[in-house]
Amino acid sequence: MRYALGDKRPRVHETAFIAPGAQIIGDVTIGPESSVWFNAVLRGDEAPIVIGAAVNVQDNSTLHMYEKYPLILEDEVSVGHNVILHGCHVKRGALVGMGSVILDGVEIGEYALIGANTFLPSGKKIPPYTLVLGSPGKVVRELTEQDLELVKMTTRVYREKAKQFRESLVRCAD
């Protein structure tokens, strides 16, 4: 569902897939070939949420911000299931693993891989092409070619899934 909030209204590219049950509220922009999956909530009431092209926001994730920190997901970002992103900037090609919590002012570099259940406190800067694990998250190493292929494969798979769901998802009669 999409909701305007006063004069703030979502702008969703015609090629994006928004799953049933996803909530898109207020000042939210979603780019081409992006997908927002079941029961995700994107609430742009205090500042903009800007989502680039070929981004996937997976099931049950919550995206919000504090007015000082807009939420930006650059192109080809993958956001795993049950992630909380709050007022952060995730750069091109990065992957945020399932159950992670990323707070205000965090900047995640290009093609960084944030492992499942990682917590990144406010203001943390993550270098590009690194693997981050833990609570609080720490850089444990640079990514290998195999890691990069996993990150890029996730983006490809979700682009294909979004196209399939856009074209053939049909609600069944009860």
Side-chain angles (χ1 to χ4, degrees), residues 85-111:
L85 298 179
H86 201 276
C88 56
H89 185 161
V90 182
K91 295 196 173 178
R92 181 185 189 95
L95 186 151
V96 180
M98 296 180 279
S100 294
V101 176
I102 314 298
L103 295 183
D104 297 325
V106 169
E107 184 177 290
I108 297 174
E110 289 185 344
Y111 294 96

Side-chain angles (χ1 to χ4, degrees), residues 94-97 100 108-118 120 124-134 136-148 150-151:
L95 186 151
V96 180
S100 294
I108 297 174
E110 289 185 344
Y111 294 96
L113 174 53
I114 310 302
N117 293 311
T118 295
L120 294 178
K124 186 93 170 165
K125 305 293 184 220
I126 303 302
Y129 299 95
T130 57
L131 173 63
V132 177
L133 301 172
K138 292 181 177 37
V139 174
V140 296
R141 63 176 170 79
E142 291 188 11
L143 295 185
T144 65
E145 286 301 317
Q146 190 174 20
D147 296 328
L148 281 171
L150 170 69
V151 170

Side-chain angles (χ1 to χ4, degrees), residues 21-24 36-42 57-62:
Q23 307 295 313
I24 314 296
V36 178
W37 293 86
F38 301 93
N39 300 315
V41 176
L42 286 65
V57 177
Q58 297 171 25
D59 312 67
N60 300 312
S61 290
T62 301

Side-chain angles (χ1 to χ4, degrees), residues 134-168:
S135 181
K138 292 181 177 37
V139 174
V140 296
R141 63 176 170 79
E142 291 188 11
L143 295 185
T144 65
E145 286 301 317
Q146 190 174 20
D147 296 328
L148 281 171
E149 182 50 38
L150 170 69
V151 170
K152 292 175 182 180
M153 180 190 69
T154 302
T155 301
R156 282 193 309 272
V157 166
Y158 270 90
R159 281 173 90 172
E160 291 166 11
K161 280 184 183 291
K163 185 175 189 287
Q164 175 193 10
F165 275 66
R166 230 183 4 259
E167 293 172 356
S168 58

